[in-house]
Amino acid sequence: MKFSKFLKLLTCVSAAVITSAAFAQEADNRAPMVVIDKDPFPSTYVPWPSELTAITNAHILTGDGGEIERGTVVMDGGKIIAVGETIDIPAGAKIIDGSGKWVTPGIIDMHSHMGIWTDGGNEVKAPNTADVWGEHSIWPQTPNFPAALAAGVTTQQNLPGSANRFGGRGVTLKMVPSRSTEGMKFPGAPYGLKMACGENPRGVHRSQGRFATAMGQFAGYRTSWIEATDYKNAWDKYYEDYKAGKDVKAPKRDLKLETLMGVLNGEISIQMHCYRADEMVDVINMAREFHYKIAAFHHAVEAYKIADILAENDICAGMWADWWGFKLESFDGIDENIPMMAAAGGCAIVHSDSDTGGQRLNQEAAKAWADGERVGLHFTRGEVFRWLTLNPAKSIGLADQIGSLEVGKNADVVIWNGDPLSVYALAENVFIDGALHYDRNNTENQWITDHAIGYVTAGDHQ
Amino acid sequence: MRYLAILIVLFAAPALAETIAIVGGKIHTATGAPIENGTVLIENGKITAVGTNVQVPTNARVINAGGKEVTPGIMSSSSIYGLSEGATRIFSSDTSANDSGMTASFDVKYALNSGSVVIEEGRRQGVTRAVSSPTSSGDIFSGTSAIITMDNKPDMRFAEGPMHAKFENAQNRAVAWNRIRAIFDQVLDYERNKSRVMRGQSQDYLLSIADMEALVPVLKGNKKLVIEMGSEAEISGAIQLKKDYGIDIVIQGAQEAWKVADDLVAADIPVIIVPEDNLFGNVTMAGTTFSNAARLEKAGVNFSLISGNGSLYYGHHILQFAGMAVAHGMSHDGAIRSITINPAQIFGVDRIVGSIEVGKDADVVVWDGDPLEVTSNTDHVIIRGVEYDLVSRRTMLRDRYLNLDRGEPFGKRYYQN
């Protein structure tokens, strides 16, 4: 009883919000057209103050495949304003001598649960929890965000876990301190929907007495896409009729179906956990059946078996360098997976899925690079860094803003104390939107979260 | 226990071992400073000469290690090699007593699988010996590990391992200490009153007779106890436990060991740490840091480095993690020792393996660069004088798919978009 009353109340409240958010139509007797706010929890992030800065004499990996052995990067107003071997440094610029240092774009981790783990990570209540928004489980005070920042990570996609077929929406965060999740959110970043295939949803759903096989999972996915297609058609028809002057009633809002409709409308990207080649091919066919696009497979340990297919379909593969064997579906993981994906012309990405691994993505890329070299797959350091920056930026729909040191892009920049494709390299300075957010040599510039304060002092975890 | 170890290894000497000379490499002996442009001579499965003035016999097969680096075989202080081919589902996993009711009496030795492809994979990446440890039994004591040679031979277990325990398997820290101490007191009581126990005239014990029997050698000081724990308070408790019961303790995990480094040195307690650990564990273990290794080295604690426990993909990671310890202040030589001779000492097999010294088993790895660098790989892996191909199931899969254009069944020919 109480719960249903609460639900009724909730419905009234949300209806009121919708009505007020709807824009006014021409004067007629109809109710205003219902427009769903697609960004009800907008980013409140404001870049920190920054100054005109030039990093000179540094070895630069531009993130889009380029490498400049001795060059300059200039940042102003939070953006990259110049990159090259010979740059006229603007008057008044603060100069950082990058001699002996390496400069790269900030690393982008397209698969993290860092802010969500503390809340459990998975909403296992149902096989389809597309109504769940990961951002509501983000704890901005997790002590781990500063560790990622200190490792040169500037952007993370945080995702719900893989316990169900549709896990919920992810959220893209900047590695910045904030009182709210909204203050960490990357402004305007498109939403991604976490989906999962394979052993995790099968196992969880089996324990719940639900579909326990892959064939069952696909029945479940397709049933949901059929419902979503009907829902989308209903809204499309509503808008069409309304605009034609008809007095029509809007379909009932459904958070789950709104997310799936966003996918069908091309507004929300699919971020799909899938290990095995055969399952990925099935998923590609399902996406064709329902006319949606898969942005990336995550944990694609068998990407190497279908690298050509993934490349042809323009689907990125987020991969570990060498994780394998921790479950049956990871048993065929090989050390050359990432270079084999890249060699096929595919969008290869090094991802973490781990708060510790997410602090050494550069080393993971280096391992994969070396293992590729041993079997004749050659890449330059510049090309390798693309696996850490521009490719993940593409997978989360932000390649126009981050992922490479190009004029006009956000000045997310890391200065390393050596070749970042070495185990010995450490990030010394990390800039986000041109502002210094981490300085290894100055504890004043090291972030401690609220939770850790009183227990640790700056730099303790390094 | 040490006598047992040596006996087993004598029987296990390889039947056919060639004479091999590894010439021209930078040799990390793990006992002294690195030798530039040195030679390692291997005969009959043993190292017979090391240095810059080694006479290479005419019958020796020469491995040219010019520009390369040479280390002792890597020893993993914590693994499940030979106990699992995959952590879940249809694969067998023989790693733990698994709530069977057994705790300390569980011994992994009966389950070791010499056909393991996971061992093959670890060997390819330079791991030549390993402690195959029991994982959680559901109670504090997990059972006895095996110390194995990574050669996929039926006799690969060459020494008995210590007793293992997992502190966090108690409901809380207070329960853990009370339970461990109560069990120890009861084991001592059982040992004193065995005949009465056998007649059925005993008190109720927390553990079964078999489990207590397994703990007797620990309490007699004849068998080490490896306890997994992390915080400063826990480690201090273990130091006190050693004083109170006179047992031989090794602490694994030991995230906050650096805080009590001097006490560990004074108590002669070695630790096993995971260099990737740096995250705020919880509010009672906030001091986890990448600098643990560097600080323990400075204080003179004997320690080995591992890459985690309970999973299978970690062979290469041991070297990487040792490199990370160096990036955070540890010496390069110390990091090599911490994955070779130190674990051999901690597990009592340092007379057999762990360094490139005359008389030791010839476990030698040749690397194509700095062994701790992530871009380095093995070029030659020799165990007990036998060189192994750097082939594993994973390299076979790689080779099958390396060229998708070749038109074979696993290529593009059978795929139509």
Side-chain angles (χ1 to χ4, degrees):
Chain A
M1 280 303 282
K2 267 186 185 169
F3 184 64
S4 68
K5 262 189 194 169
F6 171 71
L7 268 186
K8 268 184 199 166
L9 182 69
L10 197 70
T11 315
C12 292
V13 170
S14 54
V17 171
I18 296 157
T19 312
S20 65
F23 57 84
Q25 290 291 304
E26 286 170 46
D28 59 26
N29 295 327
R30 298 181 300 165
M33 188 172 83
V34 176
V35 176
I36 297 168
D37 181 1
K38 288 172 182 161
D39 192 18
F41 305 92
S43 169
T44 55
Y45 164 76
V46 179
W48 284 7
S50 59
E51 54 187 322
L52 173 63
T53 304
I55 307 164
T56 60
N57 302 315
H59 194 138
I60 301 166
L61 303 175
T62 56
D64 53 1
E67 179 169 7
I68 301 166
E69 289 192 10
R70 194 180 178 83
T72 298
V73 176
V74 188
M75 314 181 269
D76 191 29
K79 305 290 178 193
I80 306 284
I81 63 162
V83 184
E85 276 183 21
T86 47
I87 298 287
D88 288 330
I89 295 167
K94 178 186 173 185
I95 310 275
I96 298 174
D97 182 11
S99 299
K101 316 278 187 196
W102 291 57
V103 171
T104 70
I107 290 173
I108 300 166
D109 191 349
M110 56 91 85
H111 192 112
S112 177
H113 305 285
M114 195 171 265
I116 297 183
W117 278 141
T118 44
D119 194 24
N122 284 295
E123 188 52 76
V124 296
K125 198 170 166 54
N128 181 346
T129 58
D131 44 343
V132 158
W133 293 33
E135 62 199 88
H136 298 133
S137 277
I138 295 289
W139 185 35
Q141 304 300 346
T142 177
N144 296 357
F145 285 135
L149 175 69
V153 175
T154 50
T155 308
Q156 272 183 355
Q157 178 173 239
N158 271 240
L159 294 162
S162 51
N164 30 22
R165 292 194 284 271
F166 297 87
R169 294 193 194 200
V171 59
T172 299
L173 303 175
K174 287 174 179 277
M175 293 295 100
V176 295
S178 175
R179 295 178 295 173
S180 67
T181 302
E182 284 81 345
M184 298 182 76
K185 280 178 74 175
F186 196 107
Y191 277 104
L193 171 62
K194 172 72 179 291
M195 289 182 66
C197 56
E199 292 171 20
N200 290 10
R202 291 209 310 262
V204 171
H205 299 336
R206 177 183 294 118
S207 70
Q208 296 170 330
R210 297 183 160 116
F211 282 145
T213 61
M215 55 191 175
Q217 300 316 315
F218 275 83
Y221 302 128
R222 295 172 75 209
T223 301
S224 292
W225 288 123
I226 290 167
E227 286 170 23
T229 304
D230 288 348
Y231 188 71
K232 169 182 154 59
N233 290 342
W235 276 98
D236 287 351
K237 184 166 190 319
Y238 165 72
Y239 286 127
E240 198 181 303
D241 289 348
Y242 195 94
K243 282 169 186 164
K246 292 182 190 169
D247 188 6
V248 284
K249 200 170 164 235
K252 191 172 184 301
R253 280 192 72 184
D254 181 313
L255 282 177
K256 202 183 294 180
L257 292 170
E258 272 174 26
T259 296
L260 299 186
M261 178 169 70
V263 173
L264 297 176
N265 285 336
E267 296 158 358
I268 297 174
S269 67
I270 289 292
Q271 308 287 337
M272 187 139 189
H273 159 126
C274 258
Y275 285 67
R276 260 167 44 188
D278 55 324
E279 287 190 319
M280 286 190 270
V281 171
D282 286 340
V283 168
I284 291 170
N285 280 319
M286 177 168 66
R288 274 198 201 118
E289 182 185 8
F290 293 100
H291 312 289
Y292 67 87
K293 165 116 183 65
I294 302 155
F297 285 117
H298 295 228
H299 316 337
V301 297
E302 292 188 8
Y304 69 97
K305 295 184 183 178
I306 51 163
D308 55 331
I309 301 173
L310 295 172
E312 280 161 26
N313 285 279
D314 192 29
I315 299 171
C316 294
M319 295 165 280
W320 298 290
D322 53 8
W323 287 23
W324 73 285
F326 46 96
K327 47 180 154 172
L328 175 55
E329 64 186 357
S330 71
F331 204 56
D332 286 4
I334 64 171
D335 296 340
E336 298 80 3
N337 195 28
I338 292 170
M340 283 168 74
M341 176 71 186
C347 168
I349 296 168
V350 187
H351 72 6
S352 78
D353 189 31
S354 157
D355 292 2
T356 48
Q359 296 177 62
R360 55 169 187 275
L361 287 164
N362 55 314
Q363 296 174 27
E364 301 303 304
K367 277 192 288 187
W369 174 46
D371 290 331
E373 283 288 322
R374 301 259 299 192
V375 292
L377 305 176
H378 304 295
F379 298 95
T380 63
R381 283 182 166 78
E383 288 165 341
V384 170
F385 231 78
R386 202 185 158 101
W387 307 342
L388 297 164
T389 58
L390 192 57
N391 286 357
K394 178 187 170 184
S395 75
I396 57 173
L398 292 172
D400 57 335
Q401 297 181 61
I402 53 173
S404 59
L405 303 177
E406 286 179 88
V407 172
K409 281 196 169 181
N410 295 0
D412 291 358
V413 176
V414 182
I415 303 176
W416 304 83
N417 66 358
D419 175 2
L421 298 180
S422 162
V423 74
Y424 305 121
L426 297 172
E428 272 190 356
N429 294 288
V430 183
F431 298 85
I432 296 178
D433 292 314
L436 184 63
H437 273 257
Y438 177 74
D439 184 348
R440 189 169 292 273
N441 301 313
N442 181 2
T443 52
E444 298 289 308
N445 281 80
Q446 295 176 13
W447 165 23
I448 299 175
T449 61
D450 289 357
H451 185 62
I453 204 162
Y455 285 106
V456 300
T457 55
D460 277 3
H461 293 305
Q462 294 297 311
Chain B
M1 286 310 108
R2 176 163 282 185
Y3 291 127
L4 178 64
I6 290 164
L7 273 179
I8 295 171
V9 83
L10 284 177
F11 285 120
L16 282 169
E18 57 182 333
T19 298
I20 302 173
I22 301 167
V23 178
K26 177 178 181 179
I27 304 168
H28 300 272
T29 61
T31 46
I35 300 168
E36 297 285 350
N37 197 11
T39 295
V40 181
L41 187 63
I42 296 168
E43 294 170 294
N44 297 316
K46 302 281 180 191
I47 294 166
T48 53
V50 187
T52 49
N53 287 313
V54 173
Q55 197 68 43
V56 176
T58 50
N59 68 333
R61 178 163 70 88
V62 174
I63 292 174
N64 181 0
K68 299 186 177 181
E69 306 205 15
V70 182
T71 66
I74 306 306
M75 180 164 172
S76 170
S77 298
S78 181
S79 77
I80 49 172
Y81 285 122
L83 298 175
S84 175
E85 292 295 283
T88 57
R89 308 288 141 78
I90 68 165
F91 289 114
S92 67
S93 190
D94 304 318
T95 56
S96 83
N98 203 13
D99 295 314
S100 61
M102 264 187 292
T103 63
S105 58
F106 180 75
D107 190 328
V108 302
K109 69 184 172 192
Y110 307 108
L112 287 168
N113 169 20
S114 62
S116 169
V117 301
V118 181
I119 289 179
E120 191 178 81
E121 180 59 31
R123 179 174 68 227
R124 180 175 81 88
Q125 295 177 330
V127 179
T128 59
R129 309 276 175 154
V131 180
S132 275
S133 342
T135 55
S136 168
S137 67
D139 196 356
I140 293 171
F141 294 99
S142 314
T144 296
S145 58
I147 306 181
I148 65 163
T149 307
M150 299 281 282
D151 62 1
N152 290 92
K153 300 272 164 56
D155 61 358
M156 64 185 174
R157 174 178 172 273
F158 73 103
E160 182 176 307
M163 174 65 58
H164 294 258
K166 203 171 167 71
F167 194 76
E168 68 178 26
N169 269 5
Q171 287 84 344
N172 61 42
R173 206 171 275 132
V175 172
W177 286 127
N178 282 292
R179 187 167 171 84
I180 289 170
R181 284 167 177 271
I183 287 170
F184 281 0
D185 292 341
Q186 290 179 0
V187 169
L188 293 169
D189 177 85
Y190 158 76
E191 175 66 4
R192 279 191 303 269
N193 300 295
K194 238 180 207 179
S195 55
R196 258 195 290 156
V197 175
M198 291 310 166
R199 290 197 302 272
Q201 302 167 350
S202 67
Q203 56 170 306
D204 281 343
Y205 292 121
L206 287 164
L207 295 185
S208 70
I209 301 294
D211 288 331
M212 288 196 293
E213 192 63 47
L215 287 169
V216 168
V218 172
L219 281 152
K220 284 187 168 171
N222 294 329
K223 184 170 183 167
K224 292 189 186 191
L225 174 66
V226 178
I227 310 185
E228 260 185 80
M229 51 171 51
S231 75
E232 177 185 8
E234 288 160 5
I235 296 167
S236 297
I239 292 170
Q240 190 60 44
L241 191 75
K242 177 173 183 171
K243 283 181 193 151
D244 293 349
Y245 289 92
I247 56 175
D248 205 350
I249 283 182
V250 178
I251 297 171
Q252 180 169 332
Q255 286 85 346
E256 289 190 338
W258 62 273
K259 290 189 175 180
V260 282
D262 293 339
D263 297 340
L264 287 165
V265 173
D268 193 21
I269 293 179
V271 300
I272 300 168
I273 65 168
V274 185
E276 75 163 344
D277 282 346
N278 79 316
L279 294 171
F280 190 95
N282 57 55
V283 292
T284 58
M285 197 178 78
T288 317
T289 174
F290 280 141
S291 299
N292 200 15
R295 293 173 190 172
L296 293 176
E297 181 181 41
K298 198 172 171 209
V301 176
N302 183 19
F303 65 100
S304 75
L305 303 178
I306 56 170
S307 55
N309 187 11
S311 206
L312 303 172
Y313 45 83
Y314 282 130
H316 198 169
H317 287 200
I318 297 179
L319 285 302
Q320 178 183 7
F321 287 12
M324 285 164 59
V326 174
H328 290 277
M330 190 184 187
S331 73
H332 191 277
D333 282 352
I336 298 241
R337 283 196 295 273
S338 71
I339 53 177
T340 55
I341 190 68
N342 292 7
Q345 281 165 352
I346 291 170
F347 291 95
V349 294
D350 54 307
R351 284 203 269 171
I352 306 164
V353 293
S355 60
I356 300 184
E357 284 181 288
V358 171
K360 287 209 176 174
D361 276 11
D363 289 12
V364 184
V365 182
V366 181
W367 306 84
D368 62 3
D370 172 1
L372 305 188
E373 183 55 271
V374 276
T375 47
S376 298
N377 273 300
T378 53
D379 272 346
H380 301 273
V381 176
I382 296 165
I383 304 180
R384 296 197 293 192
V386 177
E387 179 166 5
Y388 289 85
D389 288 336
L390 305 179
V391 173
S392 72
R393 186 178 170 278
R394 296 174 74 223
T395 65
M396 291 175 190
L397 279 166
R398 172 196 71 203
D399 295 343
R400 171 174 279 188
Y401 287 95
L402 196 52
N403 179 5
L404 292 172
D405 286 323
R406 69 191 172 195
E408 289 173 10
F410 298 100
K412 282 178 177 174
R413 185 171 156 192
Y414 292 82
Y415 167 74
Q416 289 186 331
N417 197 16

